[in-house]
Amino acid sequence: MSIPPTELKRLFARSGNRCAFTDCRRLLIVDASPGQPPVTLGDVAHIVAASPAGPRGSAFMAPADRNRYENLILLCNLHHQRIDAEPAAFTPE
């Protein structure tokens, strides 16, 4: 199941275009070269994985709630990779 557009709009609108990782604040969308579309550097990440097999996926959450705004976070690609690589250090809490 994919993330509904309304949930994505809410997430991006409230992000301030910055990575949510503590003290990172990297821009998530930047201007490109003239005549080119903006470049998306950020990732939509799940707090509890979209799948039970993913990082933090074993945490209890109804499947219908895994793609809702409350379970999503915007991160730069560096912090998204780090958090998913260290699920014991970065718990859903």
Coordinates of all heavy atoms in Angstrom, one line a residue:
M1 N 0.9 -1.2 0.0 CA 0.0 0.0 0.0 C 0.9 1.2 0.0 O 1.9 1.3 0.7 CB -0.9 0.0 1.2 CG -1.8 1.2 1.3 SD -2.7 1.6 2.7 CE -3.3 0.1 3.4
S2 N 0.6 2.2 -0.8 CA 1.4 3.4 -0.9 C 0.8 4.5 0.1 O -0.3 4.4 0.6 CB 1.4 4.0 -2.3 OG 0.1 4.3 -2.7
I3 N 1.6 5.5 0.3 CA 1.3 6.6 1.2 C 0.3 7.5 0.4 O 0.5 8.0 -0.7 CB 2.5 7.4 1.6 CG1 3.5 6.5 2.3 CG2 2.1 8.6 2.5 CD1 4.8 7.1 2.5
P4 N -0.9 7.8 1.0 CA -1.9 8.6 0.4 C -1.4 10.0 0.2 O -0.7 10.6 1.0 CB -3.1 8.6 1.4 CG -2.9 7.4 2.2 CD -1.4 7.2 2.3
P5 N -1.7 10.6 -1.0 CA -1.3 12.0 -1.3 C -1.6 13.0 -0.2 O -0.8 13.9 0.1 CB -2.0 12.4 -2.6 CG -2.3 11.1 -3.2 CD -2.5 10.1 -2.1
T6 N -2.7 12.9 0.5 CA -3.1 13.8 1.5 C -2.1 13.7 2.7 O -1.8 14.7 3.3 CB -4.5 13.6 2.0 OG1 -4.7 12.3 2.4 CG2 -5.5 14.0 1.0
E7 N -1.6 12.5 3.0 CA -0.7 12.4 4.1 C 0.7 13.0 3.7 O 1.3 13.6 4.6 CB -0.5 10.9 4.5 CG -1.8 10.2 4.9 CD -2.4 10.7 6.1 OE1 -1.8 10.8 7.2 OE2 -3.6 11.1 6.1
L8 N 1.1 12.8 2.5 CA 2.3 13.4 2.0 C 2.3 14.9 2.0 O 3.3 15.5 2.5 CB 2.7 12.9 0.6 CG 3.1 11.4 0.5 CD1 3.3 11.0 -1.0 CD2 4.5 11.2 1.2
K9 N 1.2 15.5 1.6 CA 1.1 16.9 1.6 C 1.2 17.5 3.0 O 1.8 18.5 3.2 CB -0.3 17.3 0.9 CG -0.3 17.1 -0.5 CD -1.7 17.5 -1.1 CE -1.7 17.2 -2.6 NZ -3.1 17.5 -3.1
R10 N 0.5 16.8 3.9 CA 0.6 17.3 5.3 C 2.0 17.2 5.8 O 2.5 18.1 6.5 CB -0.4 16.4 6.1 CG -0.6 16.7 7.5 CD -1.6 15.8 8.2 NE -1.7 16.0 9.6 CZ -2.3 15.2 10.4 NH1 -2.9 14.1 9.9 NH2 -2.3 15.4 11.7
L11 N 2.7 16.1 5.5 CA 4.0 15.9 6.0 C 5.0 17.0 5.5 O 5.7 17.6 6.2 CB 4.5 14.5 5.6 CG 5.9 14.0 6.1 CD1 5.9 13.9 7.6 CD2 6.2 12.7 5.4
F12 N 4.9 17.2 4.2 CA 5.8 18.2 3.6 C 5.4 19.6 4.0 O 6.3 20.4 4.3 CB 5.8 18.1 2.0 CG 6.8 17.1 1.5 CD1 6.4 15.8 1.3 CD2 8.1 17.5 1.2 CE1 7.3 14.8 0.9 CE2 9.0 16.6 0.7 CZ 8.6 15.2 0.5
A13 N 4.2 19.9 4.2 CA 3.7 21.2 4.6 C 4.3 21.6 6.0 O 4.6 22.7 6.3 CB 2.2 21.3 4.5
R14 N 4.3 20.6 6.8 CA 4.7 20.8 8.2 C 6.2 20.6 8.5 O 6.7 20.9 9.6 CB 4.0 19.9 9.2 CG 2.5 20.3 9.2 CD 1.7 19.5 10.2 NE 0.4 20.0 10.3 CZ -0.5 19.5 11.1 NH1 -0.3 18.5 11.8 NH2 -1.7 20.0 11.1
S15 N 7.0 20.2 7.4 CA 8.4 19.9 7.6 C 9.3 21.2 7.6 O 10.4 21.1 8.1 CB 8.9 19.0 6.5 OG 9.0 19.8 5.3
G16 N 8.8 22.3 7.0 CA 9.7 23.4 6.9 C 10.8 23.2 5.9 O 11.8 23.9 5.9
N17 N 10.7 22.1 5.1 CA 11.7 21.8 4.1 C 13.1 21.4 4.7 O 14.1 21.6 4.2 CB 11.9 22.9 3.1 CG 12.7 22.4 1.8 OD1 12.6 21.2 1.5 ND2 13.5 23.2 1.2
R18 N 13.0 20.9 6.0 CA 14.2 20.6 6.7 C 14.2 19.1 7.2 O 13.1 18.6 7.6 CB 14.4 21.5 7.9 CG 14.5 23.0 7.5 CD 15.9 23.3 6.9 NE 15.9 24.7 6.6 CZ 17.0 25.3 6.3 NH1 18.2 24.6 6.3 NH2 17.1 26.6 6.0
C19 N 15.3 18.5 7.3 CA 15.5 17.2 7.9 C 15.0 17.2 9.3 O 15.4 18.2 10.1 CB 16.9 16.7 7.8 SG 17.2 15.1 8.6
A20 N 14.3 16.2 9.8 CA 13.8 16.2 11.2 C 14.8 15.7 12.2 O 14.5 15.7 13.4 CB 12.5 15.4 11.2
F21 N 15.9 15.1 11.7 CA 16.9 14.6 12.6 C 17.4 15.7 13.5 O 17.7 16.8 13.0 CB 18.0 13.9 11.9 CG 18.9 13.1 12.7 CD1 18.6 11.7 13.0 CD2 20.1 13.6 13.3 CE1 19.4 10.9 13.7 CE2 20.9 12.8 14.0 CZ 20.5 11.4 14.3
T22 N 17.6 15.4 14.8 CA 18.0 16.5 15.7 C 19.3 17.2 15.2 O 20.3 16.6 14.9 CB 18.3 15.8 17.1 OG1 17.2 15.1 17.5 CG2 18.7 16.8 18.1
D23 N 19.2 18.5 15.2 CA 20.3 19.4 14.8 C 20.8 19.3 13.3 O 21.8 19.9 13.0 CB 21.5 19.3 15.7 CG 21.1 19.7 17.2 OD1 20.2 20.6 17.3 OD2 21.6 19.1 18.1
C24 N 20.1 18.5 12.5 CA 20.5 18.4 11.1 C 20.1 19.6 10.3 O 20.9 20.4 9.8 CB 20.0 17.1 10.5 SG 20.5 17.0 8.7
R25 N 18.8 19.7 10.1 CA 18.2 20.9 9.4 C 18.6 21.0 7.9 O 18.5 22.1 7.3 CB 18.5 22.2 10.1 CG 18.1 22.1 11.6 CD 16.7 21.7 11.9 NE 15.8 22.7 11.5 CZ 14.5 22.5 11.2 NH1 14.0 21.4 11.3 NH2 13.8 23.5 10.8
R26 N 19.2 19.9 7.3 CA 19.5 20.0 5.9 C 18.2 20.2 5.1 O 17.1 19.8 5.4 CB 20.1 18.7 5.4 CG 21.5 18.5 5.7 CD 22.1 17.2 5.0 NE 23.5 17.0 5.4 CZ 23.9 16.2 6.3 NH1 23.1 15.5 7.0 NH2 25.2 16.1 6.5
L27 N 18.3 21.0 4.0 CA 17.2 21.2 3.1 C 16.8 19.9 2.4 O 17.7 19.1 2.1 CB 17.6 22.2 2.0 CG 17.7 23.7 2.5 CD1 18.2 24.5 1.4 CD2 16.4 24.2 3.1
L28 N 15.5 19.7 2.2 CA 15.1 18.4 1.6 C 14.8 18.6 0.1 O 14.8 17.6 -0.6 CB 13.8 18.0 2.4 CG 14.0 17.7 3.8 CD1 12.7 17.4 4.5 CD2 15.0 16.6 4.1
I29 N 14.4 19.8 -0.3 CA 14.2 20.1 -1.7 C 15.0 21.3 -2.0 O 14.9 22.3 -1.3 CB 12.7 20.3 -2.0 CG1 12.0 19.0 -1.7 CG2 12.5 20.7 -3.5 CD1 10.5 19.1 -1.8
V30 N 15.9 21.3 -3.1 CA 16.7 22.4 -3.4 C 16.5 22.8 -4.9 O 16.0 22.0 -5.7 CB 18.2 22.2 -3.2 CG1 18.4 21.9 -1.7 CG2 18.7 21.0 -4.0
D31 N 16.8 24.1 -5.2 CA 16.7 24.5 -6.5 C 17.8 23.8 -7.4 O 18.9 23.6 -6.9 CB 16.9 26.0 -6.6 CG 15.7 26.8 -6.0 OD1 14.6 26.3 -6.0 OD2 16.0 27.9 -5.5
A32 N 17.4 23.6 -8.6 CA 18.3 22.9 -9.5 C 18.9 24.0 -10.5 O 18.7 25.2 -10.3 CB 17.6 21.9 -10.3
S33 N 19.7 23.5 -11.4 CA 20.2 24.4 -12.4 C 19.1 25.1 -13.2 O 18.0 24.6 -13.2 CB 21.1 23.6 -13.4 OG 22.1 22.9 -12.8
P34 N 19.3 26.3 -13.7 CA 18.3 27.0 -14.5 C 17.6 26.1 -15.5 O 18.3 25.3 -16.2 CB 19.0 28.2 -15.1 CG 20.2 28.4 -14.2 CD 20.6 27.0 -13.7
G35 N 16.3 26.1 -15.5 CA 15.5 25.4 -16.5 C 15.3 23.9 -16.1 O 14.6 23.2 -16.8
Q36 N 15.8 23.5 -14.9 CA 15.6 22.2 -14.4 C 14.6 22.2 -13.2 O 14.5 23.2 -12.5 CB 16.9 21.6 -14.0 CG 17.9 21.4 -15.1 CD 17.4 20.5 -16.2 OE1 17.0 19.4 -15.9 NE2 17.6 21.0 -17.4
P37 N 13.9 21.1 -13.0 CA 13.0 21.0 -11.8 C 13.8 21.0 -10.5 O 14.9 20.6 -10.5 CB 12.2 19.7 -12.1 CG 13.0 18.9 -12.9 CD 13.9 19.9 -13.8
P38 N 13.2 21.3 -9.4 CA 13.8 21.2 -8.1 C 14.3 19.8 -7.9 O 13.7 18.8 -8.4 CB 12.7 21.6 -7.1 CG 11.8 22.4 -7.9 CD 11.8 21.8 -9.3
V39 N 15.3 19.7 -7.0 CA 15.9 18.4 -6.7 C 15.5 18.0 -5.3 O 15.6 18.7 -4.4 CB 17.4 18.4 -6.8 CG1 18.1 17.1 -6.4 CG2 17.9 18.8 -8.2
T40 N 14.9 16.8 -5.2 CA 14.5 16.3 -3.9 C 15.6 15.5 -3.3 O 16.0 14.4 -3.8 CB 13.2 15.4 -4.0 OG1 12.2 16.1 -4.6 CG2 12.8 14.8 -2.7
L41 N 16.1 15.9 -2.2 CA 17.2 15.3 -1.5 C 16.7 14.5 -0.2 O 17.5 13.8 0.4 CB 18.3 16.3 -1.0 CG 18.9 17.2 -2.1 CD1 19.8 18.3 -1.5 CD2 19.7 16.3 -3.1
G42 N 15.5 14.8 0.2 CA 15.0 14.2 1.3 C 14.2 12.9 1.0 O 13.9 12.6 -0.1
D43 N 14.0 12.1 2.1 CA 13.2 10.9 2.0 C 12.1 10.9 3.0 O 12.2 11.4 4.1 CB 14.1 9.7 2.4 CG 15.3 9.4 1.5 OD1 15.2 9.8 0.3 OD2 16.3 8.9 1.9
V44 N 11.0 10.3 2.5 CA 9.8 10.1 3.5 C 10.2 8.7 4.1 O 10.4 7.7 3.5 CB 8.5 9.9 2.7 CG1 7.4 9.6 3.6 CG2 8.2 11.3 2.0
A45 N 10.3 8.8 5.4 CA 10.7 7.6 6.2 C 9.5 7.2 7.1 O 8.7 8.0 7.6 CB 11.9 7.9 7.0
H46 N 9.4 5.9 7.4 CA 8.4 5.4 8.3 C 9.1 5.2 9.7 O 10.2 4.8 9.8 CB 7.9 4.0 7.9 CG 7.1 4.0 6.7 ND1 7.6 4.1 5.4 CD2 5.7 4.0 6.6 CE1 6.6 4.1 4.6 NE2 5.4 4.0 5.2
I47 N 8.4 5.6 10.7 CA 8.8 5.4 12.1 C 8.7 3.9 12.4 O 9.7 3.3 12.8 CB 8.0 6.3 13.1 CG1 8.3 7.8 12.7 CG2 8.4 6.0 14.5 CD1 7.3 8.8 13.4
V48 N 7.6 3.4 12.3 CA 7.4 1.9 12.3 C 7.3 1.5 10.8 O 6.6 2.1 10.1 CB 6.1 1.5 13.0 CG1 5.8 0.0 12.9 CG2 6.2 1.9 14.5
A49 N 8.1 0.6 10.4 CA 8.3 0.2 9.0 C 6.9 -0.1 8.4 O 6.0 -0.5 9.0 CB 9.2 -1.0 8.9
A50 N 6.9 0.2 7.1 CA 5.7 -0.1 6.3 C 5.4 -1.6 6.3 O 4.2 -2.0 6.2 CB 5.8 0.4 4.9
S51 N 6.4 -2.4 6.4 CA 6.3 -3.9 6.4 C 6.8 -4.4 7.8 O 7.7 -3.9 8.3 CB 7.1 -4.4 5.3 OG 7.4 -5.8 5.5
P52 N 6.2 -5.5 8.3 CA 6.7 -6.1 9.5 C 8.1 -6.5 9.4 O 8.8 -6.6 10.4 CB 5.7 -7.3 9.8 CG 4.5 -6.9 9.1 CD 4.9 -6.1 7.9
A53 N 8.6 -6.8 8.2 CA 10.0 -7.2 8.0 C 11.0 -6.1 8.0 O 12.2 -6.3 8.1 CB 10.1 -8.0 6.7
G54 N 10.5 -4.8 8.0 CA 11.4 -3.7 7.9 C 11.9 -3.2 9.2 O 11.5 -3.7 10.3
P55 N 12.8 -2.2 9.3 CA 13.3 -1.6 10.5 C 12.2 -1.2 11.4 O 11.3 -0.4 11.0 CB 14.2 -0.5 10.1 CG 14.5 -0.7 8.7 CD 13.3 -1.5 8.1
R56 N 12.2 -1.6 12.6 CA 11.1 -1.3 13.6 C 9.8 -1.8 13.2 O 8.7 -1.4 13.8 CB 11.1 0.2 13.9 CG 12.4 0.8 14.5 CD 12.4 2.3 14.4 NE 12.2 2.8 13.1 CZ 13.2 2.9 12.1 NH1 14.4 2.4 12.4 NH2 12.9 3.3 10.9
G57 N 9.7 -2.7 12.3 CA 8.5 -3.2 11.8 C 7.8 -4.2 12.7 O 6.6 -4.4 12.6
S58 N 8.5 -4.7 13.7 CA 7.9 -5.6 14.7 C 7.1 -4.9 15.7 O 6.3 -5.5 16.4 CB 9.0 -6.5 15.3 OG 9.8 -5.6 16.1
A59 N 7.2 -3.5 15.8 CA 6.4 -2.8 16.7 C 4.9 -2.9 16.3 O 4.6 -2.9 15.1 CB 6.8 -1.3 16.7
F60 N 4.0 -3.0 17.3 CA 2.6 -3.2 17.0 C 2.1 -1.9 16.3 O 2.2 -0.8 16.9 CB 1.8 -3.6 18.2 CG 0.3 -3.7 17.8 CD1 -0.1 -4.8 17.1 CD2 -0.6 -2.6 18.0 CE1 -1.5 -4.8 16.7 CE2 -1.9 -2.7 17.6 CZ -2.3 -3.8 16.9
M61 N 1.5 -2.1 15.2 CA 0.8 -1.0 14.5 C -0.1 -1.6 13.5 O 0.4 -2.5 12.7 CB 1.7 0.0 13.9 CG 1.0 1.2 13.2 SD 2.1 2.5 12.6 CE 2.3 3.4 14.1
A62 N -1.3 -1.2 13.4 CA -2.3 -1.8 12.4 C -1.7 -1.4 11.0 O -1.2 -0.3 10.8 CB -3.6 -1.2 12.6
P63 N -1.8 -2.4 10.1 CA -1.3 -2.1 8.7 C -1.9 -0.8 8.1 O -1.2 -0.1 7.4 CB -1.8 -3.4 8.0 CG -1.8 -4.4 9.0 CD -2.3 -3.7 10.2
A64 N -3.1 -0.5 8.4 CA -3.8 0.7 7.8 C -3.2 2.0 8.3 O -3.3 3.0 7.7 CB -5.3 0.6 8.1
D65 N -2.5 1.9 9.5 CA -1.9 3.1 10.1 C -0.5 3.3 9.7 O 0.1 4.4 10.0 CB -2.0 3.0 11.6 CG -3.5 3.1 12.1 OD1 -4.3 3.6 11.4 OD2 -3.7 2.6 13.2
R66 N 0.2 2.4 9.1 CA 1.6 2.5 8.8 C 1.9 3.6 7.8 O 3.1 4.1 7.8 CB 2.2 1.2 8.4 CG 2.2 0.2 9.6 CD 2.8 -1.1 9.3 NE 2.7 -2.0 10.4 CZ 3.8 -2.6 11.0 NH1 5.0 -2.4 10.4 NH2 3.7 -3.4 12.0
N67 N 1.0 4.0 6.9 CA 1.3 5.0 5.9 C 0.6 6.3 6.3 O 0.3 7.1 5.4 CB 0.9 4.5 4.5 CG 1.9 3.5 4.0 OD1 3.1 3.7 4.2 ND2 1.4 2.5 3.3
R68 N 0.2 6.5 7.5 CA -0.4 7.7 7.9 C 0.6 8.8 8.4 O 1.7 8.4 8.8 CB -1.4 7.5 9.0 CG -2.6 6.6 8.5 CD -3.7 6.4 9.6 NE -4.1 7.7 10.1 CZ -5.2 8.3 9.7 NH1 -5.9 7.8 8.7 NH2 -5.5 9.5 10.3
Y69 N 0.3 10.0 8.4 CA 1.1 11.1 8.8 C 1.8 10.9 10.1 O 3.0 11.1 10.3 CB 0.3 12.4 8.8 CG 1.0 13.6 9.5 CD1 1.9 14.3 8.8 CD2 0.7 13.9 10.8 CE1 2.6 15.4 9.5 CE2 1.4 14.9 11.5 CZ 2.3 15.7 10.8 OH 3.0 16.7 11.4
E70 N 1.1 10.4 11.1 CA 1.6 10.2 12.5 C 2.8 9.2 12.5 O 3.5 9.1 13.5 CB 0.5 9.7 13.4 CG -0.6 10.8 13.6 CD -1.6 10.9 12.5 OE1 -1.6 10.1 11.6 OE2 -2.4 11.9 12.5
N71 N 2.9 8.4 11.5 CA 4.0 7.4 11.4 C 5.1 7.7 10.4 O 5.9 6.9 10.1 CB 3.4 6.0 11.1 CG 4.5 4.9 11.3 OD1 5.2 4.9 12.2 ND2 4.5 4.0 10.3
L72 N 5.0 8.9 9.9 CA 6.0 9.3 8.8 C 6.9 10.5 9.4 O 6.5 11.2 10.2 CB 5.2 9.8 7.6 CG 4.3 8.8 7.0 CD1 3.5 9.4 5.9 CD2 5.0 7.6 6.4
I73 N 8.1 10.5 8.8 CA 9.0 11.6 9.1 C 9.8 11.9 7.9 O 10.1 11.0 7.1 CB 9.9 11.1 10.3 CG1 10.8 12.3 10.8 CG2 10.7 9.9 10.0 CD1 11.4 11.9 12.2
L74 N 10.2 13.2 7.7 CA 11.0 13.6 6.6 C 12.4 13.7 7.0 O 12.7 14.4 8.0 CB 10.5 14.9 6.0 CG 9.3 14.8 5.1 CD1 8.8 16.2 4.7 CD2 9.6 14.0 3.9
L75 N 13.3 13.0 6.4 CA 14.7 13.0 6.7 C 15.6 13.2 5.5 O 15.2 12.9 4.4 CB 15.1 11.7 7.3 CG 14.4 11.3 8.6 CD1 14.6 9.8 8.9 CD2 14.9 12.1 9.8
C76 N 16.8 13.8 5.7 CA 17.7 13.8 4.6 C 18.1 12.3 4.3 O 17.9 11.5 5.2 CB 19.0 14.7 4.9 SG 20.0 14.0 6.2
N77 N 18.6 12.1 3.1 CA 18.9 10.7 2.8 C 20.0 10.1 3.7 O 20.0 8.9 4.0 CB 19.3 10.5 1.3 CG 20.3 11.5 0.8 OD1 21.1 12.0 1.6 ND2 20.4 11.7 -0.5
L78 N 20.9 10.9 4.2 CA 22.0 10.4 5.1 C 21.4 9.9 6.4 O 21.7 8.8 6.9 CB 23.0 11.5 5.4 CG 24.0 11.2 6.5 CD1 25.1 10.2 5.9 CD2 24.7 12.5 6.9
H79 N 20.5 10.7 7.0 CA 19.9 10.3 8.3 C 18.8 9.2 8.1 O 18.7 8.3 9.0 CB 19.3 11.5 9.0 CG 20.4 12.3 9.6 ND1 20.6 13.6 9.2 CD2 21.3 12.0 10.5 CE1 21.7 14.0 9.9 NE2 22.1 13.1 10.7
H80 N 18.2 9.1 7.0 CA 17.2 8.0 6.7 C 18.0 6.7 6.7 O 17.6 5.7 7.4 CB 16.5 8.2 5.4 CG 15.4 7.2 5.2 ND1 14.8 7.1 4.0 CD2 14.9 6.2 5.9 CE1 13.9 6.1 4.0 NE2 14.0 5.6 5.2
Q81 N 19.1 6.7 6.0 CA 19.9 5.4 6.0 C 20.5 5.1 7.4 O 20.5 3.9 7.8 CB 21.1 5.6 5.0 CG 20.6 5.6 3.6 CD 21.8 5.9 2.6 OE1 22.9 5.5 2.9 NE2 21.5 6.5 1.5
R82 N 20.9 6.1 8.1 CA 21.5 5.8 9.4 C 20.5 5.2 10.4 O 20.7 4.2 11.1 CB 22.1 7.1 10.0 CG 22.7 6.9 11.4 CD 23.3 8.1 12.0 NE 23.7 7.8 13.4 CZ 24.0 8.7 14.2 NH1 24.0 10.0 13.9 NH2 24.4 8.4 15.4
I83 N 19.3 5.8 10.4 CA 18.2 5.4 11.3 C 17.8 4.0 11.0 O 17.6 3.1 11.9 CB 17.1 6.4 11.3 CG1 17.5 7.7 12.0 CG2 15.8 5.8 11.9 CD1 16.5 8.8 11.9
D84 N 17.7 3.7 9.7 CA 17.2 2.3 9.3 C 18.3 1.3 9.6 O 18.0 0.1 9.8 CB 16.8 2.3 7.9 CG 15.4 2.8 7.7 OD1 14.7 3.1 8.7 OD2 14.9 2.9 6.5
A85 N 19.6 1.7 9.5 CA 20.7 0.8 9.8 C 20.9 0.5 11.3 O 21.5 -0.5 11.6 CB 22.0 1.4 9.2
E86 N 20.3 1.4 12.2 CA 20.5 1.2 13.6 C 19.1 1.2 14.3 O 18.9 2.0 15.2 CB 21.3 2.4 14.1 CG 22.7 2.5 13.6 CD 23.4 3.7 14.1 OE1 23.5 3.8 15.4 OE2 24.0 4.5 13.4
P87 N 18.3 0.2 14.0 CA 16.9 0.2 14.6 C 16.9 0.1 16.1 O 16.0 0.6 16.8 CB 16.2 -0.9 13.9 CG 17.3 -1.8 13.4 CD 18.4 -0.9 13.1
A88 N 17.9 -0.5 16.7 CA 18.0 -0.7 18.1 C 18.3 0.6 18.8 O 17.8 0.9 19.9 CB 19.0 -1.7 18.6
A89 N 19.0 1.5 18.1 CA 19.3 2.8 18.7 C 18.2 3.8 18.4 O 18.0 4.8 19.2 CB 20.7 3.3 18.1
F90 N 17.5 3.6 17.3 CA 16.5 4.6 16.9 C 15.1 3.8 16.9 O 14.7 3.3 15.9 CB 16.7 5.2 15.5 CG 18.0 6.0 15.5 CD1 19.2 5.5 15.0 CD2 18.0 7.3 16.0 CE1 20.3 6.2 14.9 CE2 19.2 8.0 16.0 CZ 20.3 7.5 15.5
T91 N 14.5 3.8 18.1 CA 13.3 3.0 18.3 C 12.1 3.9 17.9 O 12.2 5.1 17.7 CB 13.2 2.6 19.8 OG1 13.0 3.8 20.5 CG2 14.4 1.8 20.2
P92 N 10.9 3.3 17.8 CA 9.7 4.1 17.4 C 9.5 5.2 18.5 O 8.9 6.3 18.1 CB 8.6 3.1 17.4 CG 9.2 1.8 17.1 CD 10.6 1.9 17.8
E93 N 9.8 5.0 19.7 CA 9.6 6.0 20.7 C 10.5 7.2 20.4 O 10.2 8.3 20.7 CB 10.0 5.5 22.1 CG 9.1 4.4 22.6 CD 9.3 3.0 21.9 OE1 10.4 2.7 21.5 OE2 8.3 2.3 21.8

